Each structure stands twice: as structure tokens, then as C-alpha cells.
Amino acid sequence: MRSSDNLEFETLAVHAGEEADPETGALRLPLHMATTFKLPKFGGKLMSALLLETSRAPYAYTRWSNPTLRALEDRLTALEAPRGLADGTKVSAVVTASGMAAVSALVFTFLSQGDHIIVSEVCYAGSVELFGLHLPRFGIEVSLVDTSDPQQVRNALQPNTRLVYVETPANPILRISDIASLAGIAHAAGARLAVDSTWASPALQTPFTLGADFVIHSLTKYMNGHGDSLGGAVLGRENDMLKIRRDMLVHLGGAMSPFNAWLILRGLVTLPMRMKQHGDSAIKVAEYLESHPKVKRVFYPGLASHPHHELASRQMSGFGGMLTFQLKGGLGAAINMSEKIKIFSYATSLGHAHSLLFYYPADLYVDAASYLTKTQKHSIREWMGDGIIRASIGLENTDDLISDLDQSLRGNTLRGAVGPLVYKILKRKQG
Ligand SMILES: Cc1ncc(COP(=O)(O)O)c(C=O)c1O
């Protein structure tokens, strides 16, 4: 289905981008595991294919485009911006090999030496390290600020600011930034706003309707939902996306495998129902943890205690499946929990059917970050304490998940007892 025809989100998640195969009638798009396509005969179409004149140019080579990748791009566009931007400009998508390939495609397409970018000081470690450690190597000025405070963004603006980049909700601490307010600030200064909306997905948040110019997703997470393929996407105005395809897919090469695109297309079919279930369970888990005597603090945007609960309620249609919490027992208690969980897995990543837990010690993730100032470290520590456990609430039965956490908070293990000492020794050894 090419056009969204005012259809609802759940319908688009099933149909957009795929049509019955004209030859066989198969309702799933055949997987096009081909790198190379027979080119049109000499003439305009051939030139269009070779020069990538439009985002729908004839296929030539999969790093540029491919029928399975295009189907995924069409579905993502239908889910994020079925009616384009407020001024009627058409939106399209470019899919990439991973979420990080999408982030790097965006910044390396639109920033050059001498440009300035303002970014969330807290976002996915790969992104904040790309901004804080690598962009300066290319002569790009970077201001890391707390984007949940619009005044900090306003104060950081410079005449050469081209992009404001926010992650909301932010990984891992779940700060929420006000997309509409930041879009206004960026636009007034002649800059553009990019939003990494991975933790919300278009089921819960649509940044284009709030004024964003670019939306980024790690498709590896909720969009795929099954933990079996990496992927990323950038969405924005069609001419900007053509530039990314020409400048970054062709030259930097971070193209997605058609097989991953096919799996992500399949995952997207159930995105609306999965996001509802993740959220229904997460609020119950958050409430359980908030009332537990061994838990110091819980951050979940759906809890009234979350500092940005009011903004999240306004900006999102649900609060998602991610939460973080601090244990009174610190690192030892976190190790203990990681040893005892049975249904949850101790693992990185998020957005899967499987529930996952991961511990972030603040000394490693905050204190050691050379690109953060003392004040920034202090403000992040207000959310993290000495460390947080990040929980990705999966699709298992909610009561089973709560029972698993409950049993994991009882009793001690040997590793929980000696772990903090071993951690100290290992850290000292690494210098
Ligand atoms: C918000 C966010 N953006 C980007 C990424 C990077 O995605 P990928 O692992 O697909 O490169 C992640 C990964 O956790 C993430 O959480």
C-alpha cells in the first residue's frame, strides 16, 4: 500500500509499504536478497538510476536502494508522518545498518567544519561519545547541554548552530525534553531539530507533529521488537533524505541488509499492540518497585513522581516500556539481582519481547566521561545516584515479571557480597 489514505496507525503498521505480490498473490513482500539489479536501457531511466536522481529512482545496487528496504522506508514514513509536515512538505525515510549508522549519517550529511551542534548531554552512550569525542576531530563545535531545560539550549545557541539534537526519552536516565519548545528555539535561530525517538516509537510520540525536522530511530529496539536484527532510520523532508542517501549511503556505506529490513517489517506489524503491553506492564512494575523497601528511587515517566511526568503526559500518548531504579544496596545489590533473576535477563539493549536488566555504575558512565563538565556530572548524578538499573519491560506476564523481581530482591549471593571489592580491584588495574 503506497498511500496512507487517512488510515489509522494499526492499519498502516500492517499494510503500509507492502502489496500482494502481483505474480503469486503472496501477502508478504518477497525478500529481495540481491545486491545488483539489471539496469534500464541507455536513456533517462538509466541516468536516473545511476545518479540517484530521486528517492524512487530505478534500482541499481542495494547500498543505494532495494525493494525490501524501500518497503520498510515507506512503512516507517506512513507511521511517523502519514500526512507529511504541517506545511504539507512530504516526509520520507532512509534506512541504515544500525541506529548509530542513522545518527552518523545525519550529522555527517548536515554538518561541516566550522558548524555547531547542540546535543543532549545524556543520550545513548554511542551517540554522546560520537558527539563529544569524535565530531570535534572534524572541526565541528559541540555543546552538550541538558536539553530538558530549554533555557540551556537557548543559551548555547551560536551564529553557526546548524542542528539541535535531542533524545527523548533519553537513554539511560529517562529525562524528557520538550520537542515543541526546542523546535521553536532551533527554528528562531535558523537551526534544525533532530529527535531520536527510539524509546517512544511512533506508537507513543510523533516528533514531526511537534515541529521536528528529523526523526531518528534505532530500529533494533521496539520497531523490530524481537531482538533479532540491527537497523536504523532517519526521516525528514524528501530532499534532505535524498542527500543522506547520496552522500552517506553511497559514500560511507552504512546500508541495511534486506533480510533485516524484512524482519523489521514483520516486527512492525505488531508495534501498536506491543507498545501498549510494554507500557501496561511497565507502570505496574514501576509502582511495585517504588513501594519496595530495598529500592531507593524509581524513574518512569508514567509515575507522578517523575520530574517530567507532566511534559511526558502532554507530549506522549503512552509512557513506554523503559524504567530505571536505584537500589539502596548499590553495586552489591545490583550484582545480587543480576545473579538471581530468572525471567529477566542481564543484558544490554532494550525493546525486545524478553525483559532485560542492565546496571550503569555512575563512576564508569558519568564520572569518567571526559566530555562532561563537573556541573553536568553533578546534575546527571541527581538522576543516577551511584548507579541505576535500567529495565526494559518485555512482553511476559506482568505478575511473573514482578514475582521475578521480588524473589531477586530477597537474600544474598556470594558474587553480590564480593563483587564491589572485585570491581574496585579491576578498576584500579585498568588505571
Ligand atoms: C536511543 C537510542 N538511539 C540509538 C541507539 C543505537 O542503536 P543501534 O544499537 O541500533 O546502533 C540506541 C541503542 O541502544 C538507543 O537506545
Side-chain angles (χ1 to χ4, degrees), residues 14-148:
V14 177
H15 289 277
E18 280 191 277
E19 277 169 11
D21 180 44
E23 246 175 64
T24 62
L27 288 176
R28 276 292 338 252
L29 179 82
L31 168 58
H32 290 273
M33 278 311 273
T35 56
T36 310
F37 296 81
K38 203 170 156 183
L39 290 165
K41 299 235 179 296
F42 185 80
K45 274 194 175 169
L46 175 65
M47 296 316 282
S48 172
L50 295 180
L51 300 176
L52 256 179
E53 277 178 347
T54 73
S55 56
R56 306 200 87 83
Y59 300 109
Y61 189 55
T62 283
R63 179 153 43 78
W64 307 7
S65 191
N66 167 293
T68 317
L69 302 184
R70 191 173 287 175
L72 175 58
E73 288 166 350
D74 287 348
R75 182 163 304 166
L76 295 173
T77 306
L79 296 179
E80 267 306 337
R83 282 168 274 287
L85 300 183
D87 63 4
T89 310
K90 257 187 99 180
V91 164
S92 67
V94 174
V95 293
T96 54
S98 66
M100 281 315 299
V103 178
S104 56
L106 176 81
V107 294
F108 287 118
T109 302
F110 295 107
L111 297 176
S112 302
Q113 186 176 17
D115 288 342
H116 174 239
I117 179 174
I118 300 171
V119 299
S120 301
E121 69 194 5
V122 179
C123 48
Y124 169 60
S127 303
V128 80
E129 285 167 10
L130 170 69
F131 302 138
L133 300 175
H134 298 288
L135 292 192
R137 292 198 293 119
F138 296 92
I140 297 164
E141 285 183 75
V142 180
S143 295
L144 295 158
V145 303
D146 175 358
T147 54
S148 71

Side-chain angles (χ1 to χ4, degrees), residues 97-101 103 124 127 165 167 169 171 196-199 216-221 230-232 349-350 390:
S98 66
M100 281 315 299
V103 178
Y124 169 60
S127 303
Y165 184 102
E167 201 177 283
N171 185 357
D196 182 332
S197 195
T198 298
W199 277 32
I216 296 275
H217 282 290
S218 165
L219 303 177
T220 313
K221 317 297 176 189
L230 289 174
S349 203
L350 57 109
R390 186 186 72 180

